[in-house]
Amino acid sequence: MLPALSPAVRRLLEGPIDSFEKLELLVMLERAPATSQAPGRLAAQLRLDVPVLEQILLGLERDGFVDRQPDGSVRLASLDRVAPLLRAYDDDNLSVLIQISTIAIGRIRGLAARTFADAFVLREKRRHDDG
């Protein structure tokens, strides 16, 4: 049974905040709201390669969760948009992590099913093309 999380939190986890890395990045930025963080430092703290972190930042910036400063550093754009998720994570981080994992597994299963279906369709198409 899935943990009970608010619809607002579930929407964030099913949409733009779909990974543990994104969540942890937002938590780090929320804990230092008055300062901007350098991507290299954030990558080191999250134990990510800088190019991986940059991809995460691009998505979060596009979705309006982080702002890039002129010097390249990053800060949280709006606490209001992520406050319910961050509160839920502070109150019951295990439930949030279970939810992220459950959603990720669902996505993987969906991709596997689509790949299988696409392979079947291609095989059928080849049979008709050969005949």
Side-chain angles (χ1 to χ4, degrees):
M1 180 160 176
L2 292 177
L5 296 172
S6 74
V9 169
R10 287 182 56 92
R11 277 191 302 276
L12 286 170
L13 296 176
E14 290 169 351
I17 314 301
D18 60 352
S19 72
F20 175 73
E21 292 82 7
K22 289 178 182 178
L23 176 59
E24 279 295 305
L25 176 60
L26 293 173
V27 168
M28 288 172 53
L29 293 173
E30 187 265 338
R31 289 184 179 154
T35 61
S36 296
Q37 302 287 325
R41 180 176 176 190
L42 291 169
Q45 288 176 327
L46 291 169
R47 295 189 175 115
L48 296 172
D49 291 333
V50 173
V52 172
L53 179 75
E54 287 292 344
Q55 284 301 114
I56 292 169
L57 287 172
L58 283 173
L60 291 174
E61 186 176 18
R62 180 192 65 238
D63 292 333
F65 290 99
V66 298
D67 285 329
R68 186 78 65 148
Q69 304 303 302
D71 66 357
S73 64
V74 181
R75 71 171 15 148
L76 192 62
S78 171
L79 182 58
D80 294 342
R81 291 190 60 209
V82 294
L85 174 57
L86 297 179
R87 268 194 309 277
Y89 190 61
D90 283 342
D91 294 344
D92 187 5
N93 63 0
L94 183 59
S95 290
V96 174
L97 295 176
I98 289 170
Q99 189 67 51
I100 287 174
S101 298
T102 301
I103 291 167
I105 289 169
R107 284 188 180 122
I108 291 168
R109 286 183 178 146
L111 288 171
R114 276 194 297 279
T115 300
F116 178 76
D118 289 347
F120 181 75
V121 169
L122 288 174
R123 182 178 295 154
E124 286 295 314
K125 185 177 178 182
R126 284 187 193 143
R127 281 188 199 157
H128 291 300
D129 289 345
D130 291 340

